C-alpha cells in the first residue's frame, strides 16, 4: 500500500511547550501524543516538581515515547522556551477579553503549513489554572478547541493530541494557502521575515516606555492600553522590518520629548 507523502518540514518547526505542569503523568502522556503524530520538540517551563523528565510516572505514561522525554528541555522562563520561535500559539479553553486572534486547531494547522517561514510553538498551561493572561497576550494567536460547550473539559494530553493530529493531517493532505498564489510581485506584495517572539516583546517594552515618556500612558494607571495594542499588533503578524520601524518611531517619540524638556 502506498502511503501519502508527508510534508516533513512542519514536524521540524513546531514546538510543544508545557508551562508549570503539576503531574508527571501528563508530561509523559503529552510526549506520547507528540510521538504518535511525528513531533519531537518538547520544552517544559518550570514544572512544579523536581525530576520531571525522569519521573517513573512520566516514563510510564510516555509508553514508548521515552526518546521524546530524553530529548526534552526544562527551562526557567518563557523567554528561554520561545528562543528561536517567531509564532506563538496559546492553547486555552478560556477566551480572554484582550486575547490575540482566536483560531481553531485546524485553521492553525493550515496556516503553519502555508507559511513555511514560521517556527511555531504551541503553549499549554497548568492543568488546574491554565495559562496566565500575560503569556496569552504575548502570543500571536489563541487556540480554542471547539468542544461541547456543555462539557468542554479536555485534559492536557488530550488537547496536545488534538493539536498534533490537526497539524499532521495538514502535512498529510496539504492545506489551502492563506496567501495569494505566486505571481507578479506587485500583486502579492513583499513578504519579509517574520519577527520572533523576543523581537516583538522587546518592541512592546520599547513602545510602552515611549508612550510613558510622551505622557500618553500613565505608568501608575496603565488600564488596558498595552493589552489592546498587543491584540492589534498580533493580528498583523509583524515582520522584522516592521518591528524595527515601530521601534524607530518609539525612539523618535522619546527623543522628541527629551528635546522638548531640555529646551
Amino acid at each position: 500500500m502506498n502511503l501519502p507523502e508527508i510534508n516533513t518540514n512542519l514536524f521540524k518547526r513546531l514546538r510543544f511547550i508545557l508551562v508549570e505542569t503539576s503531574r508527571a503523568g501528563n508530561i509523559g502522556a503529552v510526549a506520547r501524543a507528540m510521538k504518535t503524530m511525528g513531533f519531537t520538540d518538547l520544552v517544559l517551563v518550570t514544572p512544579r516538581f523536581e525530576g520531571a523528565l525522569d519521573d517513573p510516572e512520566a516514563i510510564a505514561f510516555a509508553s514508548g515515547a521515552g526518546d521524546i522525554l530524553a530529548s526534552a528541555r526544562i527551562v526557567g522562563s518563557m523567554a528561554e522556551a520561545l528562543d528561536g520561535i517567531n509564532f506563538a500559539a496559546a492553547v486555552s479553553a478560556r477566551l480572554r477579553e484582550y486575547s490575540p486572534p482566536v483560531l481553531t486547531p485546524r485553521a492553525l494547522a493550515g496556516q503553519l503549513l502555508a507559511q513555511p517561514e514560521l517556527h511555531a510553538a504551541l503553549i499549554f498551561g497548568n492543568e488546574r489554572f491554565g495559562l496566565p493572561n500575560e503569556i496569552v497576550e504575548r502570543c500571536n494567536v489563541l487556540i480554542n478547541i471547539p468542544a461541547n460547550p456543555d462539557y468542554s473539559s479536555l485534559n492536557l494530553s488530550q488537547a496536545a493530541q488534538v493539536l498534533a493530529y490537526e497539524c499532521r493531517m495538514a502535512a498529510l493532505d496539504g492545506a489551502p494557502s492563506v496567501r495569494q498564489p505566486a505571481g507578479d510581485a506587485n500583486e502579492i506584495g513583499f513578504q519579509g521575515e517574520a519577527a520572533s517572539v523576543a523581537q516583538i516583546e522587546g518592541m512592546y517594552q520599547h513602545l510602552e516606555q515611549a508612550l510613558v515618556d510622551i505622557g500618553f500612558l500613565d505608568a501608575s494607571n496603565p488600564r488596558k492600553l498595552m493589552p489592546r495594542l498587543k491584540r492589534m499588533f498580533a493580528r498583523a503578524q509583524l515582520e522584522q522590518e516592521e518591528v524595527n520601524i515601530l521601534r524607530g518611531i518609539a525612539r523618535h517619540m522619546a527623543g522628541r520629548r527629551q528635546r522638548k524638556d531640555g529646551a
Side-chain angles (χ1 to χ4, degrees), residues 203 206-207 238-253:
M203 182 271 291
H206 196 170
L207 180 60
L238 292 170
E239 299 169 2
Q240 289 185 12
E241 185 61 28
E242 293 166 341
V243 166
N244 292 336
I245 290 170
L246 289 167
R247 295 196 74 156
I249 293 171
R251 191 178 303 112
H252 185 76
M253 288 162 58

Side-chain angles (χ1 to χ4, degrees), residues 180-229:
Q180 299 179 44
D184 183 77
N186 293 325
E187 293 178 1
I188 63 174
F190 173 77
Q191 191 70 43
E193 186 171 351
S196 70
V197 173
Q199 289 170 331
I200 293 174
E201 183 63 22
M203 182 271 291
Y204 286 147
Q205 295 173 3
H206 196 170
L207 180 60
E208 182 174 7
Q209 185 57 54
L211 293 172
V212 171
D213 291 342
I214 65 173
F216 188 83
L217 174 63
D218 182 355
S220 64
N221 187 25
R223 297 184 183 273
K224 298 295 184 180
L225 177 61
M226 289 310 298
R228 286 182 182 275
L229 288 176

Side-chain angles (χ1 to χ4, degrees), residues 76-88:
S77 69
M78 281 303 302
E80 293 177 84
L82 292 170
D83 182 43
I85 296 297
N86 58 18
F87 190 88

Side-chain angles (χ1 to χ4, degrees), residues 17 19 45 75-83 123 131 135 138-139:
I17 298 176
V19 180
V45 180
V75 299
S77 69
M78 281 303 302
E80 293 177 84
L82 292 170
D83 182 43
I123 306 173
L131 287 171
I135 290 180
R138 290 179 62 183
C139 293

Side-chain angles (χ1 to χ4, degrees), residues 80-125:
E80 293 177 84
L82 292 170
D83 182 43
I85 296 297
N86 58 18
F87 190 88
V91 181
S92 177
R94 181 166 61 90
L95 300 178
R96 273 77 163 181
E97 181 181 2
Y98 296 105
S99 82
V102 179
L103 294 181
T104 65
R106 189 161 299 175
L108 171 75
Q111 180 172 349
L112 296 183
L113 187 67
Q115 297 182 249
E117 74 278 10
L118 295 183
H119 292 268
L122 300 174
I123 306 173
F124 302 84

Side-chain angles (χ1 to χ4, degrees), residues 3-7 10-11 14 34-39 109 113 162-174:
L3 295 176
E5 184 177 352
I6 300 177
N7 184 330
L10 179 57
F11 298 97
L14 182 60
M34 291 172 57
K35 185 168 183 176
T36 59
M37 296 296 123
F39 298 96
L113 187 67
V162 170
L163 269 295
Y165 170 78
E166 290 291 353
C167 290
R168 182 176 182 84
M169 290 305 297
L172 277 169
D173 299 340

